[in-house]
Amino acid sequence: MTPERYAKIRRVLSLRQPTLTVLMDEVNKPHNFSAILRTCDAVGVLEAHAVPPENGGVPTFEATSGSAHKWVGVQTHSDAVSAVRALQARGFQVLATHLSDASVDYRAPDYTKPTCVLLGAEKWGVSGEAAAVADANIVIPMLGMVQSLNVSVAAATILFEAQRQRLSAGLYAQPQLAAGALERLAFEWAYPELAPLYRERGEPYPELGAGGEVLS
Ligand code: SAM
């Protein structure tokens, strides 16, 4: 761990947005899943959510993620409706991407509120049930011949609108993570091989110096 690397870890964590997330509902192609995680990292999403496809687990990560899976945790859920309800219970507005005339333009919502963007499977999109329990349905206007965007492109378009709104509201100007969570994650990101050993032993993580060196 170099002081420069540790400084970068702390800088990135101080920009993380615990109140912005995505829920991927059976996104089954690994390159799409990985590309969405990579965008999440770039925008500052702390943790993503996923309903794994029925015929498999969370798609495997591959080169497309650019190692983003190391920096964005993925919490899995059994189905989209219960995942939406669980996120709403935590105070998130859930915006379902839905290709319908009744959906609002994706730039209309206030993304400075705790927000989860619900993304649908490549073949069939967001289910009617999940769209119905969401707080709003959003759409990126399509003015060409094809009906829809690739899911990772749609995710990036919407998440960077969220980033734009949050930047102008000052949400990246000071850490959104609680101090304790930031210190915990700083140790886990700086020492990914050591952190599980401390957890297994039930011991607190050691204190780190200004340059990321282990002090105790
Ligand atoms: N036939 C599917 C449908 O009707 O929803 C198309 C699914 S599309 C290929 C996969 C996912 O990408 C969608 O569920 C949505 O999350 C996202 N998406 C694609 N185009 C979009 C658009 N114009 N607006 C919002 N989301 C879009």
Side-chain angles (χ1 to χ4, degrees):
M1 179 55 45
T2 64
E4 293 74 23
R5 175 85 173 159
Y6 185 62
K8 180 172 182 182
I9 285 174
R10 293 196 71 92
R11 189 168 63 249
V12 169
L13 283 171
S14 74
L15 295 168
R16 281 294 195 246
Q17 305 284 302
T19 57
L20 179 64
T21 190
V22 296
L23 169 58
M24 295 175 265
D25 184 13
E26 300 199 37
V27 169
N28 70 322
K29 295 189 177 151
H31 61 273
N32 286 337
F33 194 91
S34 298
I36 293 169
L37 282 192
R38 191 169 178 158
T39 299
C40 284
D41 175 61
V43 168
V45 168
L46 179 70
E47 179 185 58
H49 297 261
V51 176
E54 262 187 17
N55 55 355
V58 167
T60 50
F61 303 105
E62 34 117 316
T64 332
S65 90
S67 83
H69 59 279
K70 291 191 207 159
W71 317 115
V72 182
V74 180
Q75 195 177 322
T76 57
H77 300 260
S78 58
D79 67 277
V81 171
S82 62
V84 169
R85 293 216 164 102
L87 284 156
Q88 287 168 330
R90 286 174 52 189
F92 285 84
Q93 62 169 345
V94 177
L95 306 177
T97 53
H98 204 43
L99 304 168
S100 142
D101 290 342
S103 297
V104 299
D105 186 294
Y106 76 102
R107 288 159 289 208
D110 178 357
Y111 291 91
T112 65
K113 293 181 182 169
T115 300
C116 172
V117 178
L118 170 57
L119 300 157
E122 290 87 342
K123 268 200 182 143
W124 51 83
V126 169
S127 71
E129 294 87 344
V133 291
D135 298 278
N137 287 185
I138 56 171
V139 68
I140 302 163
M142 300 290 295
L143 307 180
M145 294 292 285
V146 292
Q147 193 217 4
S148 65
L149 296 168
N150 169 279
V151 63
S152 67
V153 173
T157 304
I158 296 163
L159 287 174
F160 277 96
E161 169 62 11
Q163 187 201 62
R164 187 191 68 76
Q165 291 189 17
R166 284 172 171 247
L167 277 168
S168 55
L171 290 180
Y172 291 90
Q174 53 213 358
Q176 301 297 305
L177 269 171
L182 198 151
E183 295 306 324
R184 178 176 54 76
L185 284 165
F187 182 77
E188 291 174 358
W189 286 18
Y191 296 99
E193 332 72 30
L194 276 184
L197 302 178
Y198 279 90
R199 288 199 299 273
E200 274 162 30
R201 296 200 298 253
E203 290 176 14
Y205 294 149
E207 212 182 313
L208 299 181
E213 69 281 14
V214 176
L215 294 180
S216 52

